[in-house]
C-alpha cells in the first residue's frame, strides 16, 4: 500500500482510566519538507519488560519473573540472558539517547512476526547508517507533559533519515529502555529491554532522502 | 481480547464475624496526572514538577526514587507490620465520593492511621512479583486495614500513594461504585492489579 495521509482515524477511544500509547508517524521529503505520510495508531503491545520497569519504580526490591509454573529469565536487546532478578536503581525505563544509538530509545525494523508479551527485541532491527537497508538514527527527544481536561500526556520522538539510496519499508517499531537487574556482568547491571513492540501494517515506506519521524505519545485520561 | 493499554483493577474484601463481604474485581478508572509525569521523568524526559499529596509542587527527576509503594522497604518478603507512617504510602482509603479528576493529587478525605473515631489501622503492603501468564503481564499489591475505632466507617475512595525522594505522590485514585462499610473489629483488604496484554 502506498503511503498516504490517514489522520487519526485509527485511534480508538481510550477506555476510561487506561494509560496507553499512540504512535504518530510522519514521513517528509528531506528537501521540500512536504509531508507524504501521516498516521496515528494505538501502540499494539506493552511487553512484560514494561511491567518489570514499572515494578522496580513501585518497589525498591529485587524481583524475579514468574511465568506460568516456571521461573523465566530475562533477555536484553542483545539476546544476552541476564539472570532472573530485577533490582531497583535510579534508572527505570530510561530511553533517552543520542544520535546513532540503536540499543536505546525508539527503534525500528523490518520484522513481521506478531508481537508477544515476551518479546525482548525487534525481530529484524534496521541498522544506523547510510548503507543499503540502513537509516540514520537521530537523538531521542521529549515533549514535556501536558495536562488538559481529562488527560495528561507526554511525547517521546525520534527522527530517522534515509540516505541509503533505496526505499526502506519499516514494518516494526519498538521502545528500548534501561532496567537494572540483579545479576552483574559486563557493563554492570544496567541493561536495555524492549518495553513496547508494534508490527506496522501497512509498512511505513521511506524513500531515499525522506525522513521518518516517530512520536510515541504516552497518555492517561478519565 | 487485546487491551493495547495499561489497565488497573481493584477489589475489596471485608472480613468480619458474619463472614466476608466482597467487591469483585472492578476496572480502575483513574491513573492520575502524577503517574504520567513521573513516568516521563523516568523515561528521561527531564525533571518534572508534580504536586505532592499536600498540594505543593515537588521536583521529580532522574535519579529520584521511582514511586515506592512498599511499606516494609527492601526486597523479598513484605510483612504486614503496623506503622504510623503507613498511611502516607501504598494503598490508601478515604471517605469522599467526590468524582475523580485528572489533576487529583491526593485522596479527598483520607482515613488516617489509628484506632480513634474515624480511623483505621494501616498494615504493611504486599507487592507481588511480576506475573507472566499467557499474553498478560501483571503485578498486584494489596493492603489490610483493621477497624479498631469503635464505630463503622464507610469507604468511598481508594488510591495508591508513592513515596519519592522529595515527597509523596498520588498515582491512582478511584471512587467506589458504592460505599463499603467496615464495622468496628472488621478487617478490610484492598487489592490493585496492573496489567498489560499482548
Amino acid at each position: 500500500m502506498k503511503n498516504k495521509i490517514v489522520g487519526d482515524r485509527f485511534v480508538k477511544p481510550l477506555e476510561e482510566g487506561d494509560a496507553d500509547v499512540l504512535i504518530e508517524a510522519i514521513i517528509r521529503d528531506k528537501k521540500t519538507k512536504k509531508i507524504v505520510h501521516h498516521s496515528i495508531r494505538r501502540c499494539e503491545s506493552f511487553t512484560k519488560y514494561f511491567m518489570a520497569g514499572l515494578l522496580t519504580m513501585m518497589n525498591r526490591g529485587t524481583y524475579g519473573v514468574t511465568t506460568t509454573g516456571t521461573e523465566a529469565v530475562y533477555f536484553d536487546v542483545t539476546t544476552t540472558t541476564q539472570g532472573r532478578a530485577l533490582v531497583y536503581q535510579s534508572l527505570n525505563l530510561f530511553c533517552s539517547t543520542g544520535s546513532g544509538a540503536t540499543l536505546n530509545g525508539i527503534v525500528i525494523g523490518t520484522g513481521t512476526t506478531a508481537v508477544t508479551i515476551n518479546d525482548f527485541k525487534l525481530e529484524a532491527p534496521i541498522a544506523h547508517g547510510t548503507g543499503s537497508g540502513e537509516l540514520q538514527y537521530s537523538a531521542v527527544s521529549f515533549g514535556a507533559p501536558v495536562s488538559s481536561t481529562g488527560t495528561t500526556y507526554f511525547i517521546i520522538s525520534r527522527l530517522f533519515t534515509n540516505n541509503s539510496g533505496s526505499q526502506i519499508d519499516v514494518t516494526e517499531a519498538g521502545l528500548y529502555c534501561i532496567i537494572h537487574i540483579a545479576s552483574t556482568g559486563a557493563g554492570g547491571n544496567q541493561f536495555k529491554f524492549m518495553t513496547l513492540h508494534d508490527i506496522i501494517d501497512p509498512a511505513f515506506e521511506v524513500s531515499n532522502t525522506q525522513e521518518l519521524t516517530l512520536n510515541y505519545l504516552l497518555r492517561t485520561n478519565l | 481480547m487485546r487491551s493495547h493499554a495499561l489497565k488497573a483493577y481493584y477489589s475489596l474484601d471485608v472480613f468480619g464475624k458474619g463472614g466476608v463481604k466482597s467487591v469483585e474485581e472492578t476496572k480502575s478508572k483513574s491513573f492520575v496526572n502524577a503517574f504520567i509525569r513521573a513516568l516521563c521523568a523516568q523515561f528521561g524526559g527531564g525533571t518534572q514538577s508534580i504536586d505532592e499529596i499536600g498540594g505543593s509542587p515537588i521536583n521529580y527527576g532522574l535519579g529520584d526514587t521511582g514511586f515506592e509503594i512498599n511499606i516494609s522497604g527492601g526486597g523479598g518478603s513484605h510483612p504486614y507490620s503496623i506503622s504510623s507512617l503507613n498511611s502516607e504510602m501504598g494503598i490508601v482509603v478515604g471517605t469522599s465520593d467526590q468524582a475523580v479528576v485528572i489533576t487529583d493529587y491526593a485522596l479527598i478525605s483520607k482515613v488516617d492511621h489509628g484506632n480513634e473515631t474515624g480511623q483505621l489501622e494501616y498494615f504493611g503492603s504486599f507487592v507481588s512479583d511480576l506475573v507472566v501468564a499467557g499474553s498478560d503481564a501483571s503485578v498486584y499489591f494489596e493492603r489490610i486495614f483493621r477497624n479498631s475505632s469503635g464505630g463503622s466507617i464507610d469507604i468511598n475512595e481508594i488510591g495508591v500513594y508513592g513515596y519519592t525522594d522529595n515527597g509523596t505522590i498520588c498515582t491512582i485514585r478511584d471512587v467506589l461504585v458504592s460505599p463499603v462499610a467496615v464495622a468496628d473489629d472488621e478487617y478490610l483488604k484492598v487489592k490493585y492489579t496492573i496489567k498489560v496484554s499482548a
Side-chain angles (χ1 to χ4, degrees):
Chain A
M1 178 178 290
K2 294 292 184 183
N3 282 323
K4 61 181 180 180
I5 297 174
V6 295
D8 60 357
R9 66 180 179 178
F10 292 141
V11 183
K12 298 175 183 176
L14 185 68
E15 187 175 348
E16 188 177 17
D18 286 351
D20 71 350
V21 181
L22 303 181
I23 302 176
E24 181 181 40
I26 302 169
I27 300 175
R28 288 187 178 88
D29 182 87
K30 188 177 179 181
K31 293 180 180 177
T32 66
K33 298 300 180 186
K34 180 182 177 182
I35 295 175
V36 297
H37 171 95
H38 180 206
S39 61
I40 303 175
R41 51 173 284 152
R42 180 81 59 83
C43 177
E44 191 171 1
S45 181
F46 290 89
T47 71
K48 69 181 181 184
Y49 297 105
F50 179 87
M51 289 301 301
L54 193 61
L55 182 57
T56 66
M57 294 175 65
M58 295 191 298
N59 194 323
R60 288 184 287 183
T62 300
Y63 291 89
V65 168
T66 304
T67 59
T68 306
T70 58
E71 285 291 312
V73 296
Y74 294 115
F75 297 96
D76 71 8
V77 298
T78 65
T79 323
T80 304
T81 303
Q82 295 294 355
R84 294 171 179 267
L86 297 164
V87 62
Y88 170 83
Q89 291 290 342
S90 58
L91 297 178
N92 310 281
L93 299 174
F94 186 77
C95 64
S96 180
T97 192
S99 61
T102 58
L103 296 180
N104 202 8
I106 298 170
V107 292
I108 52 179
T110 57
T112 57
T113 302
V115 299
T116 76
I117 199 76
N118 294 306
D119 287 350
F120 55 90
K121 67 172 186 174
L122 296 181
E123 179 185 2
I126 294 173
H128 168 78
T130 57
S132 177
E134 295 178 342
L135 292 171
Q136 292 171 292
Y137 285 57
S138 296
V140 170
S141 62
F142 288 82
V146 174
S147 294
S148 60
T149 304
T151 187
T152 297
Y153 67 89
F154 70 96
I155 295 173
I156 306 170
S157 298
R158 193 165 210 179
L159 175 71
F160 305 88
T161 303
N162 186 354
N163 283 315
S164 71
S166 302
Q167 176 174 305
I168 296 175
D169 293 345
V170 176
T171 55
E172 62 176 335
L175 183 67
Y176 287 179
C177 297
I178 291 172
I179 304 174
H180 286 253
I181 59 172
S183 61
T184 58
N189 62 351
Q190 184 184 112
F191 296 95
K192 285 111 177 176
F193 300 94
M194 184 167 66
T195 58
L196 301 172
H197 189 202
D198 278 81
I199 296 300
I200 311 298
D201 183 17
F204 300 143
E205 299 169 349
V206 187
S207 298
N208 187 42
T209 74
Q210 287 184 340
E211 298 173 335
L212 167 65
T213 299
L214 291 182
N215 297 320
Y216 276 61
L217 187 150
L218 283 74
R219 66 177 183 177
T220 186
N221 74 353
L222 300 181
Chain B
M1 179 178 174
R2 303 177 77 134
S3 73
H4 304 290
L6 180 69
K7 296 176 179 290
Y9 302 85
Y10 65 79
S11 60
L12 292 85
D13 296 292
V14 178
F15 301 88
K17 294 176 182 175
V20 181
K21 298 172 290 185
S22 297
V23 174
E24 294 183 350
E25 189 170 80
T26 304
K27 177 76 168 47
S28 167
K29 295 183 176 180
S30 311
F31 287 106
V32 291
N33 186 42
F35 179 78
I36 288 292
R37 290 179 179 270
L39 269 186
C40 180
Q42 293 286 338
F43 271 107
T47 298
Q48 302 298 321
S49 177
I50 301 175
D51 286 343
E52 50 85 62
I53 57 173
S56 300
I58 60 170
N59 285 327
Y60 180 96
L62 193 62
D64 287 337
T65 301
F67 35 78
E68 186 179 6
I69 62 173
N70 171 29
I71 302 306
S72 59
S77 62
H78 311 288
Y80 290 106
S81 59
I82 295 175
S83 164
S84 60
L85 298 176
N86 282 358
S87 65
E88 301 298 327
M89 195 170 167
I91 294 175
V92 291
V93 297
T95 57
S96 173
D97 61 0
Q98 182 174 312
V100 178
V101 295
I102 199 78
T103 51
D104 279 346
Y105 53 79
L107 266 58
I108 303 301
S109 184
K110 184 173 68 66
V111 173
D112 287 333
H113 168 80
N115 55 16
E116 298 183 355
T117 301
Q119 296 180 334
L120 293 170
E121 293 173 291
Y122 283 61
F123 286 49
S125 290
F126 173 84
V127 181
S128 77
D129 262 348
L130 180 60
V131 178
V132 181
S135 60
D136 298 332
S138 63
V139 299
Y140 68 90
F141 32 102
E142 58 190 16
R143 164 172 260 175
I144 287 176
F145 307 82
R146 181 170 61 196
N147 187 348
S148 302
S149 71
S152 182
I153 299 173
D154 286 348
I155 302 302
N156 280 293
E157 58 177 337
I158 60 177
V160 180
Y161 283 3
Y163 170 83
T164 79
D165 288 341
N166 298 318
T168 299
I169 60 175
C170 178
T171 57
I172 297 175
R173 178 175 177 255
D174 282 295
V175 172
L176 304 181
V177 176
S178 302
V180 172
V182 184
D184 184 46
D185 210 26
E186 288 188 331
Y187 290 80
L188 167 68
K189 184 178 80 172
V190 181
K191 177 181 178 181
Y192 268 98
T193 301
I194 300 179
K195 180 189 294 184
V196 296
S197 302

